[in-house]
Amino acid sequence: MRAVTKVEGRAVVLDRPHIDTDQIIPAVWLKRVERTGFGPGLFSAWRTDPDFVLNQPGADEAKILIAGPNFGCGSSREHAVWALQDFGFEAVIAPSFADIFRGNSIGAGLVTAQADEDTVTALGMALAADPGLEVVVDVAERTIAVPGSGLGYSFALPDYARWRLLEGLDDIGITLRHAGAITEFEASRPAWLPSSAPAVSAGS
Amino acid sequence: MTGRLFDKVWQRHLVASPQGEPPLLYIDLHLVHEVTSPQAFEGLELAGRTVRRPDLTVATMDHDVPTRNPEGPISDPLAAEQMARLRKNCEAHGITLYPLGNAEQGVVHVIGPQLGLTQPGMTVVCGDSHTSTHGAFGALAFGIGTTEVEHVLATQTLRQSKPLAMAVTVDGELPPGVTAKDLVLGIIAEIGTHGGTGTVIEYRGAAIRSLDMAGRMTVCNMSIEGGARAGMIAPDETTFAFLEGRKHSPRGAAWERALDDWRSLATEEGAAFDREVRIDAASLRPVVTWGTNPAQSVSIDDVVPEPASFGATGDQHAAQRALEYMGLTPGTAMRDIAVNTVFIGSCTNGRLADLRAAASVLAGRKVSDRVRAIVVPGSARVKAEAEAEGLDNVFKAAGFEWRSAGCSMCLGMNGDILMPGERSASTSNRNFEGRQGPGGRTHLVSPAMAAATAVAGHFATPGDLEGAC
Ligand code: SF4
């Protein structure tokens, strides 16, 4: 995973609550076996509307998405994160995120900046007045700034998530440092717990 | 120890709690399917890692399998590729796979319990948000993303910050005609789609205790629709009776030891929760969703609501938008809304008990000729058991298509979809925009109401059909 310290660039505002993962990437796009190539599927149903924000000039350069509360609710599909990243987004700012989406984002290196409702509203208003404004999401400082308008806010991000993003760490690598503890734990598991061994994979 | 079911299960799976990092939780069962796993296996192999516990990993094919003629060639090359990948990955890593055509194949959350793989006090994960279903057994079960799937494959553990514990207590007795599906839709309407965010819900109270395992699975299944990571129900005699004698259930002396352990899991009297909600079962009604999230539901006796009736401006806009998408006018009686399609199936309501409930409404009746009705059993075994009881004949005689197991129209990946503007009564769990096909309009209902609606051609309860057939 690539380290992320700061995301700077254009932002688009998608002012809707409860944006679910079926909107972010509809199921029909999930048939790929790679982690890449999901950008064209991002909000594909909404993008059929010419007035949709992502169809406006400059939106294809945006790096930051600003959305309503409970962003990413629904399915556990990490493809939603990959689609946002493939389109070019590196950070999402919202008043709240669904739990699984948030975990997936951190795992894949997408910044989920949880800001209060007033911050999100103020950012929306500033960008409505000037859609070209640059927004800066600083992971190290946990701040959001709009240098062109002098606005500055803070956002919430758990310490561990912040550290992971800043270091670009691979979780598995960190966990394997505890391999000894895992082996020890396994020795203590009750014998009745189910196991599927021996493997079966016959046709029927 | 605070004496809550959730803490007891959490505590016994803690491998390490390193300073400054989320705790490391051991995973007893990892369920895998074709759509969210290929990138995880690829990542694992690129890093030169192996699957730590293939014996605690079980795979099946469900999300994009064809449900018509599953023995035939798979016409969708992308779906075929995902299935071929899963087969190759399972072979390479020695993982048990129940592929298309196998007698145990089916929706991942139907087959785990059916095989006795899901047991009280376990941790269960899967790259699918409805993994919460398995919590019906008193397991801690939740959905994970593909990066986490790879983490579990490599380490058999997961890093998890501990969620809060929420109690949803449903007191009293469910009124006649109110099913587990109505119960959980009622809970979600009460708490909202993010009322459970950051928590694990324990469902408690007399109305929950009175549910059979199929009903408990329906309730836990939809925990995620209330925003919760997982739902749990303390194991009791109903749970043990369901598990006894299943393929992977403990036997003999091990069964007795397991029972002793499982009996110790229930939350103790007087334990406190971080959030608590109480619902009176007597207030619940058979419900239908009218909007584009599962919290937007009303009683079948009600009308489509006015957006202005919602307090917050945000909710008013969301309701307005939902009504536009759904093509509904406020004030319309729910019973006056006609449907084109009825879908009975999914991990929410695709079990034998659900098919029985629907078939009992359909016996001796015919599906309206304006309606396309399909029933997709949750697993190949559910299908076989239903056929042994003759349920297939009841469905077919009524005019339903009798399909093979899979997710099918729950998410419309396999080509079983609604056309733009089509309206369904569906026993699945999500009525999001386009969930059952772009432009499709989904209304969530119970199996009994789905069957009655298929006959009437508009939303109806089984009671509405009396004397009308
Ligand atoms: S039936 Fe629906 S909700 Fe259940 S696993 Fe399949 S797609 Fe997901």
Side-chain angles (χ1 to χ4, degrees), chain B residues 62-63 107-109 128 130 221 346-348 406-407 410-411 429 435:
Chain B
D62 55 4
H63 278 65
V107 180
V108 66
H109 313 308
D128 187 282
H130 293 98
N221 173 275
S346 86
C347 59
T348 313
C407 294
C410 175
L411 91 166
N429 43 50
R435 171 76 176 180

Side-chain angles (χ1 to χ4, degrees), chain A residues 31 34 78 99 175 186 196, chain B residues 26 39 55 76 147 151 198:
Chain A
K31 292 181 189 168
E34 304 85 16
E78 193 166 316
D99 292 336
T175 297
E186 284 174 330
S196 65
Chain B
Y26 198 80
Q39 296 88 351
D55 59 325
D76 178 346
T147 297
H151 190 280

Side-chain angles (χ1 to χ4, degrees), chain B residues 234-458:
Chain B
D236 59 11
E237 297 308 318
T238 305
T239 323
F240 310 146
F242 179 98
L243 282 171
E244 191 163 13
R246 303 231 163 219
K247 183 171 176 203
H248 290 281
S249 296
R251 280 167 215 285
W255 172 254
E256 296 304 325
R257 273 200 298 280
L259 275 183
D260 283 346
D261 179 65
W262 297 345
R263 290 202 165 102
S264 73
L265 287 169
T267 295
E268 279 139 39
E269 278 303 315
F273 285 82
D274 302 301
R275 274 182 230 167
E276 292 196 51
V277 172
R278 275 202 115 88
I279 292 175
D280 177 8
S283 70
L284 297 167
R285 295 285 173 270
V287 291
V288 190
T289 61
W290 53 266
T292 53
N293 75 51
Q296 294 173 321
S297 67
V298 289
S299 155
I300 171 88
D301 300 325
D302 230 319
V303 298
V304 175
E306 287 283 352
S309 67
F310 296 91
T313 351
D315 290 347
Q316 291 183 12
H317 287 154
Q320 183 71 45
R321 211 191 125 74
L323 290 179
E324 276 164 28
Y325 180 84
M326 295 296 286
L328 293 174
T329 313
T332 310
M334 292 314 288
R335 281 191 173 82
D336 287 346
I337 301 171
V339 306
N340 333 74
T341 302
V342 169
F343 168 68
I344 297 179
S346 86
C347 59
T348 313
N349 283 130
R351 297 184 180 78
L352 187 59
D354 301 309
L355 303 195
R356 282 181 185 151
S360 75
V361 175
L362 293 169
R365 296 195 166 103
K366 288 270 180 235
V367 170
S368 157
D369 42 6
R370 297 185 301 274
V371 171
R372 160 178 70 139
I374 67 172
V375 52
V376 183
S379 69
R381 178 170 293 274
V382 167
K383 184 181 191 203
E385 289 174 355
E387 287 174 353
E389 291 182 15
L391 301 184
D392 56 328
N393 292 328
V394 176
F395 281 108
K396 286 190 272 194
F400 266 80
E401 289 177 49
W402 178 248
R403 298 283 189 85
S404 296
C407 294
S408 179
M409 205 182 269
C410 175
L411 91 166
M413 259 188 98
N414 72 338
D416 294 338
I417 56 169
L418 296 178
M419 290 295 128
E422 275 192 338
R423 188 181 298 287
S424 76
S426 175
T427 66
S428 53
N429 43 50
R430 286 192 176 135
N431 51 346
F432 295 155
E433 289 181 27
R435 171 76 176 180
Q436 296 188 298
R441 294 161 170 168
T442 302
H443 296 262
L444 304 177
V445 294
S446 71
M449 205 195 294
T453 300
V455 172
H458 54 79

Side-chain angles (χ1 to χ4, degrees), chain A residues 90-151:
Chain A
E90 296 173 25
V92 182
I93 302 172
S96 58
F97 294 91
D99 292 336
I100 306 181
F101 178 83
R102 186 164 212 182
N104 286 345
S105 295
I106 293 156
L110 176 74
V111 180
T112 48
Q114 184 171 352
D116 57 36
E117 297 248 9
D118 292 346
T119 300
V120 174
T121 307
L123 286 169
M125 277 166 34
L127 286 157
D130 179 1
L133 279 178
E134 165 136 327
V135 176
V136 183
V137 176
D138 188 320
V139 177
E141 299 297 328
R142 287 184 268 225
T143 56
I144 301 166
V146 187
S149 71
L151 296 173

